Amino acid sequence: MSAGRLPELLAPAGGFDALEAAIEAGADAVYFGGESFGARAFAKNFSREEIARAAKLCRAFGVKSYVTLNTLIFDRETAAMLDYAAFLEEAGVDALIIADVGAASLIRRYIPTMPLHASTQFSGHNTDAAIFLAQHGFTRMVAARELSKPDLKTLCTNSPIEIETFIHGALCVCHSGQCLFSSMVGGRSGNRGMCAQPCRLPDKSGKYPLSLKDLSMAGRITDLFDCGAASLKIEGRMKAPEYVFGVTEIYRRLLDGRRSATPDEMSRLAEIFSRSGFTTGYFDGKINHTMLGTRREDDVKSSRALEPFAGLTKKSPLTLHALLKRGCPFTLTVSGAQGSVTKAGAVPETARTAPLDAAALEKNLAKLGGTPYFAEKIEIDLDDGLILRVSEINALRRAALDAYGALGEREHTVLREAMPASVRRTPKTDGNKRTALVMRAKNLPVDDRFYDFFDLVFLPLSEYLACDAPRVFGVLLPGVIPDSERAGVSVKLRRAYEKGARHALCGNYGHLALCREAGLMPHGDFRLNVTNAAAAEFALASGFCDLILSPELTAAQLRDIGGSVRSIVYGRVPLMLLEKCAAKETSGCETCGSDRAALVDRLGKRFPILREEPHRNLLFNCVPTYAADKLPAGGQHFIFSVESASEILRVLDAYEKHLPPTGEIRRLK
């Protein structure tokens, strides 16, 4: 963001009335979803007709329109996704908010004029991620909500593309794009827009250890200016128009005044919607118990008392200049914030009786009802003694307004005839390898059978450096490496290389550069969320030597992808990557990093919690995925989290003998 220029105020819209509320309240841009491929499947969302109408309405007010196409895509949805993206381009929306790199690569290929914004579901949280996205055609990255002020400022300063940051609304306790809780446990994928919000439920003790208060940066606007983000985003596509209007109006006032909120304004925001108040814990680097909150009875009562949104009353001012000269076509020039356009109509005739006068013409031209405009000024240059049919005046007025409304539209390139109509599998390479991730070095078996069974074994970076494991040649990178931690991780990776590591399991495109700098061969972890062949091809072309596919895929979908890929065939899948320490909330601070740390849900299911350096948490599934008796085709990946060395060897024995399970498990679908 350039000095002195206000950042964009970006408001949500779950339906057309909410979009009108955002415009009425002064949003600079609005984001909304269609009926497919959006991460809020249960919002009202927009039909195709409404999307086209919304894009046109936004242009009339100089408001940008961004559409969410931010779910993971399956191969058999590729053709429908491209058709939808092509429609969005032709409808004139200003950008797509997208998470799936496979979908993005296809859109760049077949719809090259469409601007792309990387969704927060992409898990971008450092400068390396922004640089990577810039190299692949993105113009903006939505930053992770967990960034501190110093990390956000560093990112905004060094990013080659625009950075968008959330300033208000609900906070997921897990890093966006890294949550599988709803999917693995309840069958409703958050990465597919159907999150059941298990983090908002109580645990066995009746506490809410994963439920965060809503974010509100209203009291920190001047700090946000200091960071330099290009766009400030309000969360809330599931919220009512009254919420959108009330929150957007307050932030509009704060941005225009270049000031932070007063206590009264903070109270008003809480009345609109809150969960036990608000938090700025991530931004302030104060990640503690005070961030937790639930929706209380008094919170609900205050929200219900909101005044209903009365509809869009705002109009955009125009200047109309009419020129009627003898023997020349009637011309009408329309000027406004979008620019100026002139259209020509019929040639006026000589009047036999009642000639057209300026007052009558002005009255007719001022009839802009039903449009988003009003005639602020009408100028008329009219020769005496002429006449023009009212229908011809009306037709020219409509044509001029339509032409004005089209000002600012981009050129559209849509290569429909070249778009693929069916799934194209990735060519097979060396996809039959077996790899293992062992989360704790103390659980590594010493038996040769373990190392003979696997082609490659990975340990978390900190575990690898702290132990003597001469037969382990791979390290797992931390799931999050903000700019403030990059140098430290870089030093550790070089130490790992010196110690003998040659491979790195990497789950974020923003960490690829670190692998290369350390001389490590990057292998794509399941956290890359690869769910289609295009995403697999993109990852392999970006430098990953092979990939672990998303555990959300079925056996049939795994076959659709093919290529140098593996699937998770055993292990407790990590469900959440947490910045907020869940071990402290669920089991006590002294359990962090121990076998005792776990979340026990209200049904008595135990979800182990392991520490990830420096002080993040990984929450694992309560049961392991198991496929010894029904192995899918292709490469295999095993995750050993809480299993002892002897238990690991028993697992290998079961897989060698293709034994059925003996306890509670999760099956591959």
Side-chain angles (χ1 to χ4, degrees):
M1 186 184 73
S2 61
R5 180 182 173 187
L6 286 177
E8 171 187 89
L9 179 57
L10 176 56
F16 209 92
D17 47 359
L19 179 133
E20 291 185 336
I23 294 173
E24 183 78 10
D28 298 306
V30 181
Y31 67 102
F32 51 92
E35 295 172 339
S36 304
F37 308 114
R40 290 292 182 269
F42 302 119
K44 184 179 178 182
N45 291 319
F46 288 63
S47 67
R48 290 199 175 195
E49 183 275 330
E50 286 176 323
I51 288 172
R53 190 155 56 95
K56 185 175 181 180
L57 181 65
C58 285
R59 276 197 305 275
F61 288 98
V63 172
K64 297 290 186 182
S65 57
Y66 308 141
V67 172
T68 56
L69 201 159
N70 57 344
T71 60
L72 299 182
I73 307 299
F74 296 147
D75 276 306
R76 299 180 192 194
E77 298 170 333
T78 297
M81 180 276 297
L82 282 173
D83 175 74
Y84 177 56
F87 157 75
L88 294 173
E89 172 69 0
E90 291 162 349
V93 304
D94 291 293
L96 293 186
I97 303 172
I98 195 162
D100 190 307
V101 294
S105 66
L106 292 172
I107 290 168
R108 284 197 309 276
R109 185 181 308 166
Y110 300 111
I111 314 171
T113 48
M114 173 62 83
L116 300 178
H117 296 176
S119 167
T120 187
Q121 293 289 113
F122 174 79
S123 303
H125 56 263
N126 59 26
T127 301
D128 284 335
I131 292 171
F132 178 88
L133 290 168
Q135 293 168 344
H136 291 88
F138 285 80
T139 60
R140 178 182 291 188
M141 181 177 90
V142 185
R145 293 169 171 91
E146 292 81 2
L147 293 185
S148 65
K149 179 184 176 182
D151 279 323
L152 180 60
K153 185 172 183 178
T154 299
L155 174 59
C156 294
T157 300
N158 298 322
S159 172
I161 57 177
E162 292 180 338
I163 296 300
E164 177 179 306
T165 186
F166 280 91
I167 58 169
H168 197 92
L171 283 174
C172 295
V173 71
C174 177
H175 276 262
S176 291
Q178 302 299 303
C179 187
L180 295 171
F181 206 152
S182 179
S183 177
M184 296 290 103
V185 176
R188 284 172 47 177
S189 171
N191 289 324
R192 298 270 294 166
M194 297 177 286
C195 182
Q197 296 189 319
C199 56
R200 300 294 183 191
L201 297 175
D203 64 8
K204 189 175 181 179
S205 69
K207 297 178 181 178
Y208 294 81
L210 300 179
S211 182
L212 298 183
K213 294 176 181 176
D214 277 19
L215 168 70
S216 181
M217 294 295 294
R220 310 298 296 279
I221 294 298
T222 53
D223 288 320
L224 284 172
F225 284 166
D226 184 49
C227 290
S231 180
L232 306 181
K233 185 174 194 172
I234 299 167
E235 184 276 338
R237 283 199 292 126
M238 298 289 287
K239 297 293 198 302
E242 291 76 17
Y243 172 93
V244 174
F245 178 81
V247 173
T248 304
E249 183 184 45
I250 289 175
Y251 277 96
R252 178 76 275 159
R253 189 189 313 150
L254 300 180
L255 293 185
D256 290 344
R258 288 174 165 78
R259 64 176 179 83
S260 295
T262 65
D264 284 346
E265 287 167 327
M266 291 302 301
S267 295
R268 177 56 182 159
L269 287 169
E271 289 172 1
I272 294 171
F273 191 95
S274 81
R275 289 182 172 90
S276 312
F278 297 115
T279 182
T280 56
Y282 288 138
F283 187 78
D284 297 330
K286 296 178 180 178
I287 305 172
N288 54 41
H289 182 79
T290 63
M291 295 180 69
L292 298 179
T294 58
R295 191 91 166 116
R296 302 170 306 194
E297 186 176 344
D298 54 340
D299 295 326
V300 175
K301 287 180 179 178
S302 64
S303 295
R304 287 176 178 168
L306 293 177
E307 182 179 344
F309 175 63
L312 182 61
T313 62
K314 182 184 289 187
K315 297 279 187 177
S316 186
L318 295 178
T319 295
L320 280 63
H321 181 85
L323 182 66
L324 281 89
K325 294 293 182 181
R326 199 175 308 277
C328 299
F330 171 32
T331 63
L332 181 62
T333 300
V334 177
S335 304
Q338 299 291 95
S340 181
V341 65
T342 299
K343 299 293 287 185
V347 176
E349 300 174 358
T350 300
R352 296 180 180 179
T353 53
L356 182 66
D357 62 48
L361 180 57
E362 180 176 344
K363 183 178 180 180
N364 187 283
L365 293 176
K367 294 178 180 179
L368 304 185
T371 74
Y373 311 110
F374 74 95
E376 184 178 48
K377 185 178 181 182
I378 298 177
E379 301 169 340
I380 295 175
D381 189 352
L382 171 65
D383 282 352
D384 293 335
L386 300 178
I387 193 169
L388 199 63
R389 294 183 182 88
V390 172
S391 61
E392 292 171 331
I393 297 173
N394 291 340
L396 185 59
R397 185 189 67 239
R398 286 192 294 267
L401 289 176
D402 287 343
Y404 177 81
L407 290 175
E409 271 202 68
R410 298 174 287 102
E411 292 187 6
H412 306 305
T413 300
V414 178
L415 307 176
R416 282 189 178 274
E417 293 182 359
M419 290 180 182
S422 60
V423 176
R424 181 171 60 85
R425 298 183 64 186
T426 309
K428 279 283 185 186
T429 53
D430 56 349
N432 292 316
K433 287 185 176 179
R434 282 192 295 213
T435 57
L437 169 64
V438 182
M439 292 301 300
R440 289 169 167 163
K442 68 177 185 178
N443 293 341
L444 275 172
V446 295
D447 195 300
D448 287 345
R449 279 199 304 144
F450 176 77
Y451 297 99
D452 292 340
F453 187 86
F454 292 108
D455 294 284
L456 185 58
V457 176
F458 297 94
L459 279 173
L461 177 59
S462 58
E463 290 282 310
Y464 180 86
L465 292 174
C467 77
D468 182 19
R471 301 179 72 175
V472 174
F473 298 100
V475 295
L476 169 69
L477 269 68
V480 174
I481 309 173
D483 286 309
S484 60
E485 297 175 21
R486 189 188 195 281
V489 173
S490 179
V491 169
K492 289 181 179 179
L493 287 174
R494 290 192 181 95
R495 284 174 52 202
Y497 183 89
E498 292 167 0
K499 193 175 176 179
R502 293 296 180 268
H503 303 267
L505 190 56
C506 173
N508 193 288
Y509 286 97
H511 303 167
L512 263 175
L514 275 167
C515 295
R516 295 193 187 102
E517 291 168 11
L520 298 171
M521 184 178 296
H523 301 255
D525 197 10
F526 75 93
R527 293 194 174 281
L528 293 175
N529 290 328
V530 174
T531 58
N532 56 71
E537 288 182 357
F538 178 86
L540 295 171
S542 298
F544 289 105
C545 59
D546 54 30
L547 302 168
I548 300 166
L549 298 176
S550 167
E552 297 194 76
L553 294 172
T554 65
Q557 290 164 340
L558 292 170
R559 288 194 300 272
D560 283 343
I561 295 176
S564 186
V565 298
R566 294 188 297 285
S567 56
I568 297 172
V569 298
Y570 176 81
R572 296 171 186 264
V573 175
L575 302 182
M576 283 186 164
L577 174 56
L578 304 161
E579 200 78 18
K580 172 79 182 67
C581 183
K584 179 178 180 179
E585 302 295 341
T586 59
S587 314
C589 198
E590 71 281 359
T591 68
C592 190
S594 76
D595 292 335
R596 292 183 294 134
L599 167 72
V600 181
D601 73 7
R602 68 195 195 286
L603 302 177
K605 303 291 186 182
R606 189 176 189 275
F607 298 81
I609 300 172
L610 272 61
R611 180 167 174 167
E612 182 169 87
E613 296 294 330
H615 199 173
R616 296 181 180 92
N617 282 178
L618 286 172
L619 186 144
F620 287 77
N621 202 354
C622 59
V623 295
T625 294
Y626 189 88
D629 53 338
K630 297 180 180 180
L631 278 171
Q636 302 165 14
H637 183 64
F638 292 66
I639 299 173
F640 299 110
S641 52
V642 295
E643 293 88 348
S644 66
S646 60
E647 288 171 333
I648 290 174
L649 291 177
R650 282 199 293 272
V651 169
L652 301 193
D653 187 59
Y655 274 74
E656 286 177 331
K657 297 176 181 177
H658 305 292
L659 300 177
T662 57
E664 190 177 359
I665 62 157
R666 174 188 172 268
R667 282 283 192 192
L668 289 172
K669 295 180 181 179

